[in-house]
């Protein structure tokens, strides 16, 4: 099921790639002379394809990271629950010192606190996964865009410049009509 979700996300990104490269062609080509327009359109389409492909890669990586984190947290929760049960089984015998009983109680309290912390983390990751399932376009796009901007700032700057150029061209087209 999770593999299908990744495939759907990936397919959605590739559809966005095709749409955005077509939009780049339409908005830039209107105001540039023919030879320069061809070169600018080609550059814009290549940049759009590269940007969107990397964005899709990072979004898929984030979705996989969510699944991996969920699995590792569940393993850690099970391990901690087993550890807590083992500590509870090692209860000191009745005629023991107060210090031994206090030490045992502290171990139980620490184990329970750690288990509660793991469960809170797991719940937060589940919330993120649910949000990513419901709002995949917004949440995963945002996480992937942040990662892309961090790892490829040059591509992000070029993409921003292209988007600004497209907005200016669209605004000029609206004003001329």
């Amino acid at each position: 099921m999770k593999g299908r979700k990744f495939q759907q996300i990936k397919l959605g990104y590739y559809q966005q790639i095709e749409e955005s490269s077509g939009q780049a062609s339409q908005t830039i080509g209107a105001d540039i002379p023919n030879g320069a327009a061809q070169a600018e359109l080609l550059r814009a389409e290549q940049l759009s394809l590269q940007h969107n492909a990397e964005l899709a890669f990072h979004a898929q990586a984030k979705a996989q990271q969510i699944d991996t984190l969920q699995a590792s947290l569940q393993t850690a929760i099970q391990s901690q629950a087993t550890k807590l049960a083992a500590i509870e089984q090692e209860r000191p015998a009745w005629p023991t010192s107060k210090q031994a009983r206090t030490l045992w109680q502290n171990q139980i309290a620490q184990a329970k606190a750690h288990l509660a912390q793991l469960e809170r983390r797991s719940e937060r990751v589940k919330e993120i996964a649910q949000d990513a399932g419901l709002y995949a376009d917004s949440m995963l796009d945002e996480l992937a865009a942040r990662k892309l901007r961090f790892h490829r700032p040059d591509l992000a700057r070029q993409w921003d410049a292209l988007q600004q150029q497209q907005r200016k061209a669209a605004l000029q087209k609206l004003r001329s009509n």
Side-chain angles (χ1 to χ4, degrees):
M1 174 114 172
K2 291 178 185 178
R4 250 190 255 150
K5 183 166 75 170
F6 293 141
Q7 292 300 332
Q8 290 171 344
I9 291 169
K10 194 173 176 181
L11 182 62
Y13 281 115
Y14 288 125
Q15 289 171 347
Q16 287 177 356
I17 290 170
E18 292 173 7
E19 291 171 6
S20 67
S21 64
Q23 291 170 351
S25 301
Q26 293 170 356
T27 56
I28 294 173
D31 297 328
I32 303 174
N34 219 2
Q38 296 281 333
E40 187 63 24
L41 288 175
L42 181 60
R43 186 186 76 75
E45 287 179 11
Q46 289 173 342
L47 182 64
S48 291
L49 287 172
Q50 183 182 8
H51 178 269
N52 290 337
E54 291 208 22
L55 193 62
F57 171 78
H58 288 298
Q60 184 176 6
K62 284 294 177 188
Q64 288 173 340
Q65 183 181 20
I66 289 170
D67 284 344
T68 303
L69 189 55
Q70 280 181 316
S72 66
L73 281 171
Q74 287 304 313
T75 301
I77 287 170
Q78 291 171 354
S79 174
Q80 187 63 27
T82 303
K83 183 178 177 181
L84 176 60
I87 292 171
E88 287 175 338
Q89 291 293 327
E90 295 174 4
R91 183 177 187 167
W94 173 244
T96 59
S97 68
K98 183 172 179 154
Q99 184 180 12
R101 182 171 290 291
T102 303
L103 179 64
W104 175 74
Q105 289 172 341
N106 287 342
Q107 287 177 336
I108 288 178
Q110 287 177 348
K112 284 182 179 180
H114 190 146
L115 182 61
Q117 180 184 32
L118 289 171
E119 288 172 344
R120 283 191 305 273
R121 286 181 185 169
S122 180
E123 285 302 314
R124 179 63 184 132
V125 171
K126 283 179 186 175
E127 289 172 10
I128 291 171
Q130 287 173 349
D131 289 348
L134 295 174
Y135 309 107
D137 289 341
S138 61
M139 184 174 194
L140 288 179
D141 279 349
E142 182 181 332
L143 293 172
R146 286 182 192 172
K147 192 165 188 173
L148 177 65
R149 287 186 179 282
F150 179 77
H151 289 288
R152 296 287 309 273
D154 57 327
L155 179 62
R157 278 192 298 278
Q158 291 174 354
W159 174 254
D160 291 342
L162 177 65
Q163 294 298 306
Q164 185 177 15
Q165 188 178 10
Q166 288 176 350
R167 286 190 294 271
K168 284 181 182 178
L171 183 61
Q172 287 175 353
K173 187 176 179 181
L174 283 173
R175 286 182 180 166
S176 68
N177 289 339

